[in-house]
Amino acid sequence: MLEVRGLSRHFGGVAALRHVDLRVRAGEIVALVGPNGSGKTTLLNVLSGFLPAGAGTIAFAGRVIAGLPAARIARLGLIRTFQLPAMPCGMSVLELMLCGGMPMTGTSIWNNVAHPRASKQETRREIDRAFGLLERMQLGPSANQSAGLLSGGQKKLLSFAMALMMRPKFLLLDEPTSGVNPKLHADLAVQIHLLRDEGAGFLIVEHNMEFVRQVCERCVVLDKGQVVANCSPAELQSDARVVEAYLGRPLPARGAGGLESVAL
């Protein structure tokens, strides 16, 4: 569903991404992990069209998307969330959910005049759907609250719910559990698996390795903008390249300690 070949991106003389190759199938959940500054968020920004690639190709569902505007990529079904989502104080949680969905018939003045019943029915369905998603994220009681007044964790949950309003085919999630009440991590995992069962693919930037082990089938490890490992979550701690990326030294001898005490 998502195929990246030779992707590079520089900021001045700094190589943030260097010849990255990546493939994610439909219905696959892949974690993108690596030390701070390894290029994870930059990769998400390039894949989603928020930054142009310096070199390389990006294909989504068989279509080349490198160079397309972010809004057009989103309309194709490739949706992303942000590590630190900003929410406007002038809009309610429900209003943001409705704006986050695909354009409705009723947003057109002509359609409202020509097809008033259809517009009203579609709007009612989308409102009901928005409330249902908010309830899943335990944000139902906050539907009429200013979105900008939510806590950091609630904003992360709202950004995920807004992404679901777009009926995504593929989701790029940037640290979805960061700042979220640990009690809700299992609920997030359930929602991700439900979408996976419907055929959606995922690329998830995440430092919470317990969540990665619970949700993801495969891990791609970045270090200094390069892919250094592609393995299962269970293999991370025994992969010498991963240990060296995080600790800056080769894999310790057995019994000397590995990544158990290091937050990925």
Side-chain angles (χ1 to χ4, degrees), residues 109-117:
I109 294 176
W110 165 251
N111 284 328
N112 267 318
V113 173
H115 309 286
R117 172 179 274 185

Side-chain angles (χ1 to χ4, degrees), residues 18-62:
R18 296 189 288 176
H19 310 294
V20 172
D21 292 334
L22 175 70
R23 295 183 70 186
V24 184
R25 300 185 302 272
E28 188 177 21
I29 305 173
V30 176
L32 182 64
V33 301
N36 290 333
S38 60
K40 302 184 298 295
T41 294
T42 298
L43 178 57
L44 261 59
N45 286 336
V46 173
L47 295 178
S48 57
F50 283 82
L51 284 176
T57 62
I58 308 169
F60 173 62

Side-chain angles (χ1 to χ4, degrees), residues 35 221 223 228-232 234-253 257-259 264:
V221 184
D223 183 35
V228 298
N230 189 336
C231 60
S232 71
E235 295 172 316
L236 279 178
Q237 293 186 348
S238 60
D239 191 303
R241 296 164 299 177
V242 179
V243 176
E244 188 169 359
Y246 278 95
L247 301 181
R249 59 180 183 270
L251 183 69
L259 289 181
L264 298 186

Side-chain angles (χ1 to χ4, degrees), residues 101-195:
M102 298 299 284
M104 293 183 290
T105 303
T107 57
S108 162
I109 294 176
W110 165 251
N111 284 328
N112 267 318
V113 173
H115 309 286
R117 172 179 274 185
S119 296
K120 184 176 293 187
Q121 290 175 342
E122 182 185 27
T123 300
R124 184 68 259 170
R125 285 195 300 270
E126 287 298 285
I127 290 174
D128 291 342
R129 186 163 174 269
F131 270 115
L133 290 172
L134 290 175
E135 289 293 339
R136 289 190 201 176
M137 298 295 113
Q138 299 191 20
L139 291 172
S142 303
N144 295 315
Q145 181 179 335
S146 167
L149 298 180
L150 297 177
S151 68
Q154 287 176 317
K155 288 178 181 177
K156 295 294 286 286
L157 294 172
L158 176 56
S159 68
F160 184 57
M162 289 170 62
L164 298 186
M165 282 293 291
M166 293 285 287
R167 296 175 173 85
K169 299 174 184 175
F170 196 101
L171 274 160
L172 306 169
L173 304 181
D174 199 350
E175 298 194 27
T177 68
S178 176
V180 174
N181 189 322
K183 295 179 180 178
L184 294 176
H185 291 183
D187 294 332
L188 278 174
V190 168
Q191 298 306 319
I192 290 172
H193 281 129
L194 285 173
L195 282 171

